[in-house]
Amino acid sequence: MTHGPRTRNATSETAHGLRDVPRPLWAGIAIGVIAFFVEISSSSITRENGVVTQCMYVDYAGFIAAGAIVVCAVLTVLTCVRRGLTPRVLPLAWIGIPVILALGVVHVLRGAGIFGGIC
């Protein structure tokens, strides 16, 4: 008994590679890396008798980068859903989403001066 040619679901059975990863994910990675080299900050240090009594540091570039990364993560999810790229079909994209969100958290901490600040 012979069977006719099988029809393949193009979304679920074709091989997917790096070129199929949504562009917003690549943008989020690029923003996350480049933002480590950009600093737009303000600081204030108060001293009394030569002793630091108050220190404030804010890096606005960290907050801007974190916001842009969140937008890229949301756009990546929307693109994957629209294309039908489930985690089983293209796991690289779905692994990349929490990675760029972790970069966003690092940039929030950097923006608040907790990580990499002068205080």
Side-chain angles (χ1 to χ4, degrees):
M1 174 192 245
T2 59
H3 297 281
R6 286 179 41 182
T7 58
R8 293 175 20 157
N9 182 346
T11 305
S12 64
E13 292 185 21
T14 57
H16 291 281
L18 291 176
R19 63 182 166 81
D20 297 315
V21 174
R23 286 188 180 150
L25 180 63
W26 294 119
I29 292 169
I31 291 167
V33 171
I34 291 170
F36 281 113
F37 302 100
V38 177
E39 182 178 358
I40 304 170
S41 63
S42 67
S43 62
S44 170
I45 299 174
T46 305
R47 299 175 192 262
E48 292 181 15
N49 296 326
V51 177
V52 175
T53 58
Q54 186 178 19
C55 182
M56 188 212 59
Y57 175 83
V58 177
D59 186 357
Y60 301 106
F63 290 126
I64 293 167
I69 288 170
V70 168
V71 169
C72 288
V74 169
L75 290 174
T76 299
V77 170
L78 293 175
T79 303
C80 286
V81 169
R82 188 179 68 236
R83 289 187 196 167
L85 300 172
T86 63
R88 188 174 188 184
V89 174
L90 189 59
L92 184 60
W94 292 94
I95 291 169
I97 294 166
V99 169
I100 64 172
L101 288 174
L103 270 174
V105 169
V106 169
H107 285 298
V108 166
L109 295 175
R110 191 173 69 87
I114 296 170
F115 173 70
I118 61 171
C119 297

